[in-house]
Amino acid sequence: MVPVYRGEPFIVKMYDRIEQVFHSMKDKTFELILVNDQSPDKSWQIIKEESQKHSKIIGVNLSRNFGQHAAITAGLQEAKGNVVIVMDCDLQDVPEEIPSLLAKIEEGYDVVFAQRVNRNDGFFK
């Protein structure tokens, strides 16, 4: 589940990387819920195009910019699976860590958090 704001440069790459990760885990399936939080770029257009190409992509378009937490809530309401992984759209939450998170869930944990060691945020963040 991914809240999207200014995600235009990342959406296609993100899907490709997530798809590769799940392809390597042959017994796992996924759906990618992309929640457009009224991004001022072409994010929603790209989400619509990609969801037509890939049945695993579900697009949600919020009526205005509600913020990241509301976008996450909207995405959680659409989720159909037993496990939900929330990621940022800028690929700083790396999809290649998904197997590690799922392994902890399979060990019996109800909630698993990941922590970034290195961040590439801009000056103001």
Side-chain angles (χ1 to χ4, degrees), residues 5 7 21-22 26 28-29 45 48 52 58-59 61 65 68 75 79-80 97 99 101 120 122:
Y5 189 80
V21 166
F22 278 90
K26 304 216 183 296
K28 305 282 186 230
T29 61
Q45 180 180 338
K48 288 191 305 185
Q52 290 174 349
I58 298 163
N61 192 32
N65 179 265
Q68 183 181 29
K80 294 173 185 66
E97 289 299 320
L101 297 170
N120 295 322

Side-chain angles (χ1 to χ4, degrees), residues 27-38:
D27 63 332
K28 305 282 186 230
T29 61
F30 74 98
E31 62 183 2
L32 177 58
I33 302 169
L34 299 170
V35 181
N36 180 45
D37 195 16
Q38 280 303 303

Side-chain angles (χ1 to χ4, degrees), residues 1-121:
M1 203 298 302
V2 180
V4 177
Y5 189 80
R6 296 191 190 276
E8 181 179 347
F10 307 107
I11 294 169
V12 173
K13 251 188 267 188
M14 180 183 6
Y15 174 78
D16 290 343
R17 286 174 60 182
I18 291 171
E19 200 280 326
Q20 285 179 339
V21 166
F22 278 90
H23 182 74
S24 71
M25 298 185 301
K26 304 216 183 296
D27 63 332
K28 305 282 186 230
T29 61
F30 74 98
E31 62 183 2
L32 177 58
I33 302 169
L34 299 170
V35 181
N36 180 45
D37 195 16
Q38 280 303 303
S39 185
D41 59 8
K42 294 180 181 173
S43 291
W44 179 239
Q45 180 180 338
I46 293 169
I47 291 169
K48 288 191 305 185
E49 291 168 0
E50 291 301 302
S51 68
Q52 290 174 349
K53 286 192 249 180
H54 307 286
S55 62
K56 294 180 186 283
I57 295 178
I58 298 163
V60 176
N61 192 32
L62 300 182
S63 62
R64 67 173 177 86
N65 179 265
F66 288 94
Q68 183 181 29
H69 298 292
I72 290 170
T73 300
L76 291 174
Q77 290 174 346
E78 293 295 317
K80 294 173 185 66
N82 294 325
V83 175
V84 177
I85 298 173
V86 179
M87 301 175 63
D88 288 341
C89 73
D90 61 5
L91 288 170
Q92 288 199 46
D93 296 334
V94 292
E96 292 76 17
E97 289 299 320
I98 290 172
S100 300
L101 297 170
L102 292 176
K104 290 296 182 185
I105 293 291
E106 290 171 359
E107 286 178 26
Y109 291 94
D110 292 326
V111 177
V112 179
F113 289 96
Q115 180 180 6
R116 288 186 223 150
V117 176
N118 296 314
R119 293 181 63 123
N120 295 322
D121 295 327

